[in-house]
Amino acid sequence: MIRRRDLLYGLLLAGCSSSDDEREDAPLPPLAGCPSAGGTYRGLVPFVDEDDIPLDVATGDGLDGRLFTDLSTLQESALVTPNERFYIRTRYPDKLDPTRPWIIRIGQSASIPLADITARVRSMGVTLLECSGNAGSAHFGLLSAAEWTGVPLLELLEPHLGQETRVLVSGFDEHSQPSTRSVPGASWVFTVDQLRAAGAFLATGMNGAPLPPDHGAPVRLVMPGWYGCTCIKWVDTIEFVRDDLPATPHMREFASRTEQIGTPERAADYLPATIDLTAMPIRVERWTVAGKDQLRIIGVVWGGDRPDSDLVINVGATAPTRIVSCTPRTSARTWGLWSHAFAAPAPGRYRVTLRSADASVRTRRLDRSFYARTFLV
Ligand SMILES: Nc1nc2c(c(=O)[nH]1)N[C@H]1C(S)=C(S)[C@@H](COP(=O)(O)O)O[C@H]1N2
Ligand SMILES: [Mo]
């Protein structure tokens, strides 16, 4: 809205189109691996039926604090989200005293001081996080990728491992502002095998900077390939627990959003909260090529356990088309971009959905058209 208003003022006051935002005038660079037909850029076609909410700015406090990342500007040369635009779900707990030395309690009698972790940190590579509560009303902006520094969790736990195969990771969550929507007390139960298979790590740094307060400073868990609700921030306790431990309130809160069957009573009965192969459009560019209108639908692909994931796109009632992965992902832990040229046969509403070209790949959310977005021609 702001952009359109700026443009209107520009037209009224200066008699020409002026805008601070160069997206209004210039396209983002084309995707290098994708066929590009050239032409004249005409601007972006917005998605409809999505709320007009602020993007790329943090709003609210505590458990209701959010930052929705603007995904429409994603480009090949910047597939890592800057810290100040990385999505936030729950802001820094105001009851957390940052001057107190940080110690993670391990089981009943051991502990790891923060210094032992910082002494061992190294790059953990680029990993994307997605909130399982990501939604179209917020432009699916609870999705971002960062390059983390940290230490594999099992490397720190190995000296403490006993017979127990389950690990409960909990984080500080005391906010003076009561939440209207969420249950305080983030904690999740993993098996040692799940931690190993995912490559779980405790992170103390993000994109070359110390972990920002809103992202879990001084230390958070990252579970590559799992939903954000398992990536506990402000980690202060790690316990080894029995197989019959009841699910934590946090696990129960996120049961349906992590594709559980009902709300299991026991933590051991929760399925791994992994993200299936997923894809959605992030912007629709309008071009004129040889006198004809052309739309370029640019999108993002993430999740699943293989980076080479061919997709099939459906745009309105037109024939489904296979998308060649012209920008392959470097790993299944992060996202990639794709592009699809489309000529609208008639004015109207066009709903975009995607599926995996390989029908044997599990895509629970795509199967429900969870990430469908609609634009108007
Ligand atoms: N202590 C604590 N950790 C937490 C949460 C929380 O409310 N409290 N929210 C979780 C959820 S639901 C998500 S999606 C991620 C978000 O991480 P981010 O804000 O760094 O993007 O943190 C997770 N870790
Ligand atoms: Mo989340």
Side-chain angles (χ1 to χ4, degrees):
M1 289 318 280
I2 287 169
R3 231 169 279 130
R4 220 167 295 145
R5 195 191 55 202
D6 283 352
L7 188 67
L8 190 65
Y9 283 151
L11 287 167
L12 288 173
L13 300 175
C16 64
S17 75
S18 83
S19 169
D20 291 340
D21 192 329
E22 45 166 32
R23 279 201 293 150
E24 207 66 50
D25 317 307
L28 289 168
L31 308 181
C34 301
S36 167
T40 309
Y41 181 67
R42 301 282 177 211
L44 292 180
V45 181
F47 295 108
V48 296
D49 307 334
E50 297 183 4
D51 295 347
D52 189 15
I53 52 154
L55 300 176
D56 288 348
V57 289
T59 57
D61 299 304
L63 278 160
D64 295 332
R66 297 284 184 275
L67 183 149
F68 301 100
T69 303
D70 182 359
L71 297 172
S72 72
T73 56
L74 258 186
Q75 50 180 307
E76 233 168 7
S77 61
L79 281 175
V80 167
T81 316
N83 289 356
E84 60 279 7
R85 297 181 45 222
F86 196 101
Y87 91 82
I88 298 169
R89 191 276 185 190
T90 306
R91 298 189 67 187
Y92 189 75
D94 58 355
K95 292 196 173 171
L96 198 165
D97 175 5
T99 60
R100 211 190 51 189
W102 196 263
I103 295 167
I104 301 180
R105 183 166 72 75
I106 310 287
Q108 291 313 307
S109 49
S111 62
I112 305 179
L114 183 64
D116 285 12
I117 300 174
T118 46
R120 297 181 186 214
V121 297
R122 58 227 188 228
S123 174
M124 293 285 109
V126 176
T127 290
L128 139 166
L129 297 190
E130 181 187 14
C131 180
S132 57
N134 207 3
S137 53
H139 311 269
F140 297 107
L142 295 176
L143 174 67
S144 302
E147 204 217 331
W148 306 91
T149 38
V151 185
L153 179 58
L154 287 179
E155 187 179 306
L156 296 164
L157 293 188
E158 225 102 71
H160 307 281
L161 285 180
Q163 299 291 60
E164 281 89 7
T165 58
R166 290 182 198 277
V167 180
L168 169 64
V169 180
S170 309
F172 187 95
D173 245 330
E174 289 168 41
H175 308 264
S176 55
Q177 191 77 11
S179 169
T180 54
R181 301 185 278 248
S182 305
V183 186
S187 53
W188 204 274
V189 177
F190 308 92
T191 65
V192 169
D193 286 345
Q194 288 168 348
L195 295 172
R196 185 177 297 116
F201 58 89
L202 288 182
T204 59
M206 193 176 169
N207 293 328
L211 197 61
D214 287 337
H215 295 292
V219 58
R220 79 170 306 159
L221 179 66
V222 175
M223 276 297 279
W226 289 47
Y227 281 112
C229 47
T230 66
C231 301
I232 306 302
K233 303 195 274 192
W234 313 291
V235 170
D236 59 3
T237 312
I238 299 177
E239 286 154 292
F240 303 103
V241 297
R242 291 169 27 169
D243 286 354
D244 59 358
L245 186 85
T248 66
H250 186 77
M251 294 174 82
R252 299 177 65 91
E253 180 183 1
F254 285 95
S256 72
R257 284 173 258 175
T258 57
E259 315 288 333
Q260 305 301 326
I261 299 142
T263 308
E265 289 301 321
R266 294 191 326 160
D269 294 332
Y270 277 65
L271 302 168
T274 49
I275 306 175
D276 285 351
L277 175 69
T278 312
M280 68 173 173
I282 54 171
R283 64 175 172 272
V284 179
E285 300 175 352
R286 200 160 65 83
W287 292 77
T288 304
V289 183
K292 289 208 171 80
D293 252 3
Q294 189 199 67
L295 299 175
R296 279 177 213 158
I297 305 173
I298 314 294
V300 62
V301 54
W302 75 100
D305 31 50
R306 299 175 44 160
D308 56 335
S309 12
D310 281 358
L311 303 163
V312 173
I313 189 168
N314 268 79
V315 188
T318 61
T321 315
R322 199 182 168 108
I323 298 177
V324 184
S325 347
C326 46
T327 57
R329 292 190 276 167
T330 51
S331 95
R333 290 171 158 213
T334 190
W335 53 19
L337 296 175
W338 49 263
S339 164
H340 172 64
F342 174 75
R349 283 170 70 91
Y350 288 86
R351 184 170 184 257
V352 184
T353 55
L354 292 112
R355 59 186 159 87
S356 169
D358 176 351
S360 72
V361 174
R362 191 178 66 178
T363 53
R364 291 167 295 184
R365 285 194 168 184
L366 288 184
D367 297 348
R368 302 198 297 270
S369 302
F370 187 95
Y371 295 92
R373 303 183 87 172
T374 301
F375 63 86
L376 223 54
V377 176

